[in-house]
């Protein structure tokens, strides 16, 4: 088998594999380059770059966080066409960044990483690609995201359906929905965006709702040429605008994590919006959630409720019993004949963290390390997995603000780790088990007091009910906590196969 290393360069800098070309992978690549490190390759499994904003191109796909904060701090865009930009524009932005910051020569497209194994003797990671090729590197920055494995529901008979079926994250644009009878399963963030787009085209739409979401109006609008002009000529106003949006979003965290009782105010407002928009009491009763707002992701839309009033749209709340070759059958025994089934059923997330087969020190598999639920230290480093960094790892997700802020914080944290390794002349850096445990104990205590623990089921929780996805606090607290490396929380190893503790030796010895 051919052995390759990443982009050739003098070994003064570590060989790094970045995995994924979404916002996280690109940010990692940009910061490596800015630090003068060229010895990295970004592996992308798809034939084109971009992560979730490449995969999700269903009709109506747009961001539900304001674009001026859902973009890199170092690459503000004064020209966003709307407050909440559509998918195409966000995707173009990521492509622009990859080009502008010189990442294209570093990217290997259609290169799926299928496994990674750490070799203690050589302090290297060996990656195996889908083609069978092996690649040896010193570090891995895994930026594969966690909303990228479409969840296909376990519904009896689904495989027997003979009509057209696809998931929202794999939209078939070649398929014409005009005049079709369609069932949509799911009423989450994706479905509420595409349902209003397809309803006017189809003959009949049966919306299969298991749990109604809380929906609030989306403060979206087109940005004017004047606004774009001012923001283009005045970087200060662009910065201030971003800052204002950031703090506006940040305030919302109070109800999510500090005291869920605060959520009664937005909940009342959402209830009033539902009452105002849906006068029919029968439909309104179907759409009224029975859990605290925020427990599942709060959805923003101006056209979802109005769409549900259309005469060709039916909201079906009886559970799905089975799917036959041409129908969807509910538990009350009613069979609805359909041509098309669209799955808006979300992604495998809280229980499916390891992006591929990963073996750390001592052959420990990440899936085994995470048997009780995924955990890391600030979502980035994991005990027993030296020189392995995750961007958008466990408990870095947000219910209230921009993931790009978290991504930039995490990437800075990885850069601190690389810096510290160089200073210590270490061959690897590894998270200390006791520090990771302490961090996660405190994290889970805080999560227990949040709105996400008020009793609803959501993709934030794994099968044991553990929240492995969300950060329970202010994003600036995450930034401040990761701004400097707490070297005592890490082990630095310098020799071949040896583990010399350049930092935190005493505490580590105590822990072992
Ligand atoms: P989701 O929020 O997980 O929603 C999945 C939907 O499918 C839910 O309504 C769920 O019902 C339903 N469902 C799943 N399995 C089912 C089954 N077996 N039978 C019946 N219904 C079933 O997924 P999503 O809408 O794709 O969104 C996922 C996440 O992606 C969001 O939370 C958000 O973080 C992100 N997203 C962001 C944007 C954006 O604008 N930035 C847009 C889209 C998505 P239950 O509620 O009962 O489980």
């Amino acid at each position: 088998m051919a052995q390759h290393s990443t982009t050739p360069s003098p070994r003064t800098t570590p060989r790094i594999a970045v995995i994924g070309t979404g916002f996280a992978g690109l940010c990692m690549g940009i910061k490596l380059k800015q630090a003068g490190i060229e010895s990295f390759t970004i592996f992308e499994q798809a034939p084109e770059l971009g992560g979730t904003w490449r995969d999700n191109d269903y009709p109506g796909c747009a961001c539900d966080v304001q674009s001026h904060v859902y973009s890199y701090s170092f690459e503000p865009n004064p020209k966003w066409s709307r407050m909440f930009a559509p998918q195409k524009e966000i995707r173009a932005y990521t492509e622009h960044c990859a080009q502008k910051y010189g990442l294209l020569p570093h990217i290997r497209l259609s290169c799926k990483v299928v496994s990674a194994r750490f070799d203690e003797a050589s302090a290297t990671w060996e990656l195996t690609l889908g083609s069978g090729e092996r690649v040896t590197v010193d570090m891995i920055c895994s930026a594969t995201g966690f909303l990228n494995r479409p969840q296909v529901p376990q519904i009896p008979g689904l495989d027997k359906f003979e009509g057209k079926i696809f998931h929202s994250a794999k939209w078939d644009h070649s398929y014409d929905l005009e005049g079709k009878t369609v069932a949509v399963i799911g009423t989450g963030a994706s479905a509420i965006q595409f349902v209003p787009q397809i309803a006017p085209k189809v003959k009949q739409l049966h919306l299969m709702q298991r749990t109604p979401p809380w929906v609030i109006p989306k403060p979206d609008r087109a940005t004017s040429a004047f606004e774009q002009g001012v923001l283009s000529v005045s970087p200060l106003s662009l910065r201030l605008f971003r800052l204002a949006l950031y703090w506006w979003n940040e305030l919302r965290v109070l109800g999510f994590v500090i005291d869920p009782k605060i959520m009664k105010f937005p909940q009342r407002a959402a209830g009033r919006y539902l009452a105002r928009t849906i006068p029919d009491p029968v439909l309104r009763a179907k759409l009224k959630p029975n859990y605290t707002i925020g427990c599942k992701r709060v959805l923003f839309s101006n056209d979802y409720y109005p769409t549900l009033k259309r005469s060709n749209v039916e909201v079906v709340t009886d559970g799905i019993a089975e799917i036959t070759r041409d129908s969807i059958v509910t538990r009350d025994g009613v069979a609805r004949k359909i041509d098309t089934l669209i799955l808006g059923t979300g992604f495998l997330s809280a229980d499916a963290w390891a992006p591929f087969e990963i073996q750390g020190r001592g052959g420990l598999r990440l899936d085994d390390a995470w048997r009780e639920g995924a955990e890391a230290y600030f979502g980035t480093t994991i005990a027993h997995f030296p020189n392995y960094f995750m961007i958008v790892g466990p408990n870095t997700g947000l219910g209230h603000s921009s993931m790009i802020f978290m991504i930039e914080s995490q990437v800075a944290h990885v850069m601190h780790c690389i810096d510290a390794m160089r200073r210590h002349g270490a061959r690897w850096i590894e998270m200390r088990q006791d520090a990771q445990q302490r961090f996660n104990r405190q994290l889970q205590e805080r999560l227990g007091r949040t709105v996400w623990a008020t009793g609803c089921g959501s993709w934030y929780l794994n099968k044991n009910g553990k929240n492995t996805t969300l950060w329970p606090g202010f994003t600036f607290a995450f930034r401040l906590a990761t701004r400097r490396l707490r070297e005592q929380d890490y082990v630095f190893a310098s020799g071949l196969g040896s583990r010399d503790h350049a930092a935190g030796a005493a505490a580590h010895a105590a822990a072992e």
Side-chain angles (χ1 to χ4, degrees):
M1 195 63 62
Q3 290 265 337
H4 293 270
S5 52
T6 59
T7 315
S9 74
R11 287 291 302 280
T12 51
T13 59
R15 297 162 298 176
I16 302 175
V18 179
I19 307 174
T21 57
F23 269 98
L26 296 180
C27 185
M28 191 71 240
I30 292 168
K31 292 298 163 186
L32 286 170
K33 267 187 100 80
Q34 287 177 342
I37 299 175
E38 293 286 338
S39 48
F40 69 93
T41 299
I42 311 183
F43 295 92
E44 170 55 58
Q45 62 179 348
E48 290 171 73
L49 72 85
T52 192
W53 297 103
R54 174 203 58 225
D55 295 344
N56 288 276
D57 65 349
Y58 55 77
C61 184
C63 195
D64 61 6
V65 177
Q66 305 90 337
S67 293
H68 284 286
V69 277
Y70 197 86
S71 42
Y72 297 128
S73 60
F74 52 84
E75 187 60 23
N77 173 16
K79 301 268 184 188
W80 290 115
S81 68
R82 304 191 64 82
M83 289 299 288
F84 298 82
Q87 172 265 341
K88 273 195 177 47
E89 211 172 321
I90 303 171
R91 186 175 178 190
Y93 172 84
T94 56
E95 284 165 354
H96 156 81
C97 291
Q99 167 103 47
K100 173 171 173 180
Y101 290 90
L103 297 185
L104 299 183
H106 291 270
I107 297 176
R108 284 184 66 179
L109 297 170
S110 302
C111 253
K112 187 179 167 77
V113 174
V114 293
S115 67
R117 196 177 58 83
F118 185 69
D119 176 50
E120 204 162 333
S122 60
T124 57
W125 281 94
E126 186 179 76
L127 304 181
T128 304
L129 307 183
S131 60
E133 181 186 338
R134 302 242 167 101
V135 179
T136 303
V137 293
D138 302 304
M139 288 180 185
I140 297 178
C141 300
S142 171
T144 55
F146 61 96
L147 292 173
N148 56 6
R149 280 174 279 181
Q151 172 172 246
V152 175
Q154 312 265 310
I155 298 174
L158 188 66
D159 53 334
K160 311 239 162 41
F161 183 61
E162 289 174 4
K164 180 73 181 173
I165 177 168
F166 56 87
H167 190 279
S168 60
K170 295 188 181 296
W171 198 274
D172 185 348
H173 291 277
S174 67
Y175 180 73
D176 188 5
L177 284 164
E178 197 74 45
K180 300 287 192 316
T181 298
V182 177
V184 170
I185 304 181
T187 52
S190 303
I192 72 143
Q193 291 187 335
F194 70 74
V195 162
Q197 300 296 312
I198 64 171
K201 284 194 186 141
V202 303
K203 183 167 154 217
Q204 174 68 37
L205 194 156
H206 303 292
L207 180 59
M208 314 305 290
Q209 173 190 275
R210 188 164 66 179
T211 316
W214 280 107
V215 180
I216 57 176
K218 190 173 188 179
D220 192 18
R221 61 174 175 80
T223 55
S224 67
F226 176 74
E227 281 172 300
Q228 291 183 23
V230 170
L231 296 176
S232 298
V233 296
S234 165
L236 178 65
S237 57
L238 188 54
R239 248 204 318 276
L240 289 176
F241 188 39
R242 182 180 162 97
L243 207 62
L245 291 170
Y246 171 79
W247 284 107
W248 172 252
N249 290 339
E250 203 62 3
L251 277 180
R252 294 169 47 208
V253 89
L254 292 171
F256 284 93
V257 305
I258 306 294
D259 185 359
K261 283 204 236 47
I262 298 173
M263 294 311 264
K264 70 175 181 244
F265 299 108
Q267 184 161 318
R268 274 187 208 141
R272 282 195 298 273
Y273 174 59
L274 172 64
R276 201 165 61 238
T277 335
I278 306 285
D280 171 8
V282 177
L283 179 57
R284 194 163 66 230
K286 285 182 178 177
L287 299 175
K288 179 105 201 270
N290 65 353
Y291 56 88
T292 308
I293 193 170
C295 186
K296 284 171 180 283
R297 192 175 175 90
V298 183
L299 307 185
F300 295 87
S301 176
N302 301 324
D303 51 8
Y304 181 64
Y305 283 159
T307 300
L308 304 187
K309 292 189 288 190
R310 292 177 61 94
S311 58
N312 70 335
V313 174
E314 180 199 19
V315 178
V316 182
T317 54
D318 296 297
I320 304 166
E322 64 164 330
I323 289 166
T324 64
R325 45 176 280 279
D326 63 357
S327 301
I328 187 158
V329 184
T330 41
R331 292 211 192 101
D332 55 1
V334 176
R336 290 169 177 83
K337 257 191 166 206
I338 53 171
D339 309 302
T340 313
L341 183 57
I342 305 178
L343 304 175
T345 44
F347 302 88
L348 301 172
S349 45
D351 284 306
W353 266 103
F356 41 81
E357 171 73 20
I358 302 170
Q359 274 181 37
R361 213 162 38 73
L364 180 66
R365 294 174 64 244
L366 191 56
D367 276 334
D368 290 333
W370 283 353
R371 214 190 294 275
E372 301 303 316
E375 61 172 51
Y377 178 79
F378 289 102
T380 313
T381 45
I382 309 157
H384 303 288
F385 294 83
N387 290 359
Y388 180 80
F389 306 97
M390 284 191 96
I391 323 289
V392 193
N395 295 106
T396 55
L398 300 175
H400 71 289
S401 190
S402 169
M403 279 310 294
I404 312 305
F405 188 89
M406 299 299 272
I407 287 171
E408 287 191 37
S409 306
Q410 284 193 276
V411 166
H413 188 68
V414 176
M415 295 309 297
H416 293 323
C417 289
I418 295 175
D419 230 41
M421 275 177 72
R422 285 166 135 184
R423 264 187 289 110
H424 289 296
R427 300 200 67 197
W428 83 62
I429 177 173
E430 182 184 342
M431 185 65 229
R432 276 182 30 203
Q433 176 93 44
D434 60 332
Q436 180 177 316
Q437 280 170 347
R438 193 175 54 242
F439 171 80
N440 278 281
R441 221 177 9 254
Q442 290 166 359
L443 185 90
Q444 290 300 327
E445 272 168 24
R446 269 192 287 151
L447 278 162
R449 297 191 290 271
T450 64
V451 70
W452 306 304
T454 55
C456 71
S458 73
W459 63 260
Y460 300 151
L461 311 178
N462 72 4
K463 59 180 182 305
N464 305 320
K466 178 177 171 181
N467 189 326
T468 62
T469 53
L470 294 178
W471 169 248
F474 292 103
T475 60
F476 65 81
F478 187 95
R479 170 79 46 104
L480 289 175
T482 51
R483 201 170 52 160
R484 278 194 198 86
L485 192 68
R486 278 174 55 91
E487 293 195 4
Q488 65 269 36
D489 288 346
Y490 285 94
V491 176
F492 294 85
S494 54
L496 275 181
S498 76
R499 303 180 71 211
D500 302 338
H501 302 178
H508 183 74
E512 295 218 318

